[in-house]
Amino acid sequence: MTKLNVAMIGYQFMGRAHSNAWRQVRAFFDSPIHPVMKVVCGRSAEGAARAAERLGWEESSTAWREVVERDDIDVIDICTPGDLHAEIAIAAAEAGKVVFCEKPLANTVAQAESMLEAVRRAGVIHMLCHNYRRAPALALAKRMIDAGEIGEIRHFRGVYLQDWIVDPESPRVWRLERARSGSGALGDIASHSLDLARHLVGEISEVSGLLETFVEERPLEDGQGRGIVDVDDAAMAIIRFEGGAIGTIEGSRFCPGRKNHNRFEINGALGSLAWDLERMNELEVYVEAGPESGFRTILATDEAHPYVEAWWPPGHILGYEHTFTHTVYDLLRAIGAGVVPEPNFEDGVRNQRVLDAIERSSATRRWEKV
Ligand code: SOE
């Protein structure tokens, strides 16, 4: 069994989700690689040490550059805010490491392109973590679409709705600072709908976008005054696919009651599919079949469904965290086979170009080509 030493940079929400995946993957999947959770890096020595102890990393460090350069480190897992993705990924590629990066790939197209160039020049394996692609019901939808079961696709309709900053006095966290996050709902959650649109339907040729910021200043996290919100609170776009389909994408943090409502519906010439993260194990399917036709719900927890046989018997449903374990498993399989998995930094650049076109279109109030 080949062992690979992993170093993860960042240990908050995504760091916890990724740590859980690194810990679980070999317990449930026949991975060709044994990932060793070697080092977790962060800005706070105390915080990183606590994260190492709680999340299962052998060491902790506040010096990510030194860790990236270590000869005993094979994989760099980037779970920081977007403003650090490019610097870390480029250093990791130049050090010959496998580079695994959270979405969105970067805060700008230029940063994303420099990351792709660096991993290509170094010839290293690279992967972008868009975890929802590997929810079993969603992977089943992809299998059905690719098999032509709903025919030629006409519409993609994606929404990603949350409500965690509806309160105007909710503090200005890093996700609300352009310098840290690159954008607001656009890059944080609409990027998921966009990635699913590209994954399930195909490449996007042009967009008409609308960004809005409802609350333009908020209390600072340290309580020492207030700060400007320079990112979008909500992002919407009409999109045209290269293959002829049309669609809409919407990401908003101002939808009271919607906690993590990531939903899509796809309408094809022969039928429709719909999926909702808040009902993650279910795929709604409509295929025309005469007077008894109607939407039916497939509970995607049978062994025949993607990834499920590694876990539990049918009906013992899976959750959000399993999508990260599936992603890490596919990364390890790719490393074992010496191939670049999907999505990777090329997808990251393509996604970033669409995000940028949506932002440009919102400013120019014109359709923008990707
Ligand atoms: C916050 O909006 C967030 O944590 C996103 O950053 C993640 O990508 C999403 O999966 C859950 O919500």
Side-chain angles (χ1 to χ4, degrees):
M1 170 69 65
T2 304
K3 285 191 175 186
L4 288 183
N5 290 332
V6 183
M8 182 178 75
I9 303 166
Y11 53 78
Q12 300 298 343
F13 182 178
M14 286 300 117
R16 290 167 58 227
H18 284 222
S19 298
N20 181 66
W22 289 117
R23 268 199 324 273
Q24 298 277 33
V25 65
R26 280 192 67 237
F28 291 91
F29 291 89
D30 295 327
S31 168
I33 305 278
H34 175 170
V36 177
M37 298 171 68
K38 202 72 182 171
V39 194
V40 57
C41 303
R43 289 176 297 173
S44 150
E46 182 191 355
R50 189 167 54 249
E53 194 280 327
R54 290 196 65 181
L55 301 176
W57 296 87
E58 290 179 10
E59 304 169 32
S60 64
S61 168
T62 57
W64 68 261
R65 287 183 186 284
E66 289 173 18
V67 171
V68 163
E69 294 298 333
R70 277 172 48 171
D71 291 337
D72 66 333
I73 295 296
D74 306 294
V75 179
I76 297 294
D77 181 4
I78 304 171
C79 292
T80 66
D83 60 326
L84 289 177
H85 286 188
E87 192 178 4
I88 297 170
I90 291 167
E94 289 171 352
K97 315 299 185 187
V98 170
V99 194
F100 182 38
C101 187
E102 259 296 324
K103 48 50 68 181
L105 185 62
N107 284 356
T108 66
V109 172
Q111 287 173 0
E113 289 173 342
S114 65
M115 295 164 79
L116 177 57
E117 183 193 345
V119 293
R120 279 177 170 166
R121 187 170 56 243
V124 296
I125 287 173
H126 47 98
M127 188 177 198
L128 177 63
C129 186
H130 264 294
N131 58 297
Y132 297 121
R133 289 191 181 204
R134 291 173 164 88
L138 200 136
L140 175 62
K142 170 72 173 165
R143 192 191 286 176
M144 293 175 70
I145 290 167
D146 290 353
E149 293 192 36
I150 63 167
E152 183 175 356
I153 295 178
R154 310 286 190 219
H155 288 284
F156 174 89
R157 200 167 297 107
V159 295
Y160 202 143
L161 311 178
Q162 297 176 336
D163 67 0
W164 57 283
I165 53 170
V166 163
D167 177 356
E169 291 306 300
S170 170
R172 194 193 70 167
V173 293
W174 69 264
R175 280 194 171 90
L176 306 182
E177 284 183 71
R178 176 174 292 277
R180 303 288 311 278
S181 62
S183 63
L186 177 67
D188 184 31
I189 48 180
S191 62
H192 279 294
S193 299
L194 159 60
D195 182 69
L196 293 181
R198 289 190 49 251
H199 179 56
L200 297 170
V201 180
E203 298 307 333
I204 294 165
S205 57
E206 57 181 345
V207 300
S208 175
L210 172 58
L211 305 185
E212 186 57 73
T213 305
F214 300 115
V215 175
E216 298 188 329
E217 69 154 30
R218 290 178 178 270
L220 297 176
E221 280 191 284
D222 62 9
Q224 304 303 310
R226 301 179 72 82
I228 298 299
V229 174
D230 55 358
V231 296
D232 55 286
D233 288 326
M236 310 172 79
I238 305 170
I239 57 180
R240 183 181 296 282
F241 292 88
E242 289 176 359
I246 59 175
T248 57
I249 284 175
E250 179 183 0
S252 177
R253 293 157 163 170
F254 277 71
C255 303
R258 294 300 186 190
K259 301 307 176 181
N260 205 34
H261 185 72
N262 175 11
R263 173 181 164 80
F264 77 80
E265 178 166 323
I266 288 179
N267 309 121
L270 303 177
S272 297
L273 297 173
W275 177 82
D276 175 354
L277 174 65
E278 291 176 349
R279 302 182 65 166
M280 175 187 130
N281 294 276
E282 301 175 10
L283 181 64
E284 297 170 66
V285 179
Y286 177 90
V287 177
E288 182 61 44
E292 296 75 32
S293 298
F295 269 95
R296 59 192 170 92
T297 299
I298 297 175
L299 186 63
T301 59
D302 289 357
E303 292 195 356
H305 296 135
Y307 305 104
V308 173
E309 65 177 343
W311 297 101
W312 321 119
H316 295 66
I317 57 177
L318 301 182
Y320 173 74
E321 74 276 13
H322 297 88
T323 66
F324 290 91
T325 306
H326 301 163
T327 303
V328 161
Y329 171 55
D330 285 348
L331 172 58
L332 292 173
R333 286 200 303 159
I335 295 170
V339 299
V340 176
E342 291 185 0
N344 54 57
F345 286 17
E346 184 168 342
D347 294 287
V349 168
R350 291 176 183 273
N351 288 352
Q352 210 75 40
R353 285 178 180 151
V354 179
L355 296 174
D356 183 67
I358 291 171
E359 199 148 17
R360 289 200 318 271
S361 171
S362 181
T364 62
R365 296 173 181 267
R366 286 197 305 266
W367 280 86
E368 292 286 345
K369 294 199 180 306
V370 172

